[in-house]
Amino acid sequence: MERIAGHLGEGSALERIVRFSASHVGDVTEEPGFGELERELMLIESSPDAWVRERAHGLSELIGMARHEQNPIVFV
């Protein structure tokens, strides 16, 4: 997460929602949080770090699927 935080700074949506939620089984992320996450993902998708770009792309796809299925993202 530090590699991504370096692009966005402390207190980013990725840090608050994904990092926090990922450490707590059963936490849920849904609209309107998707929009905030997507804005930040757009900032890091152009990173020179392939690992960062890959993670951003994967989360963007996950958000797209959640919207399509009209379901939240649940961390298990």
Side-chain angles (χ1 to χ4, degrees):
M1 188 66 187
E2 289 79 23
R3 289 164 76 173
I4 294 172
H7 295 278
L8 300 172
E10 288 187 35
S12 71
L14 283 167
E15 181 179 37
R16 287 188 335 274
I17 297 169
V18 177
R19 184 177 185 185
F20 176 78
S21 295
S23 64
H24 294 87
V25 173
D27 283 355
V28 175
T29 299
E30 54 192 323
E31 288 288 6
F34 292 162
E36 188 177 9
L37 287 171
E38 287 174 316
R39 284 188 292 280
E40 290 185 3
L41 291 170
M42 287 174 49
L43 294 172
I44 62 173
E45 284 180 332
S46 62
S47 169
D49 186 328
W51 183 90
V52 171
R53 289 192 314 271
E54 183 179 317
R55 298 306 176 274
H57 180 73
L59 186 52
S60 291
E61 286 185 341
L62 184 60
I63 291 170
M65 286 185 269
R67 275 200 176 116
H68 177 75
E69 297 293 326
Q70 298 180 347
N71 285 315
I73 297 170
V74 180
F75 296 91
V76 293

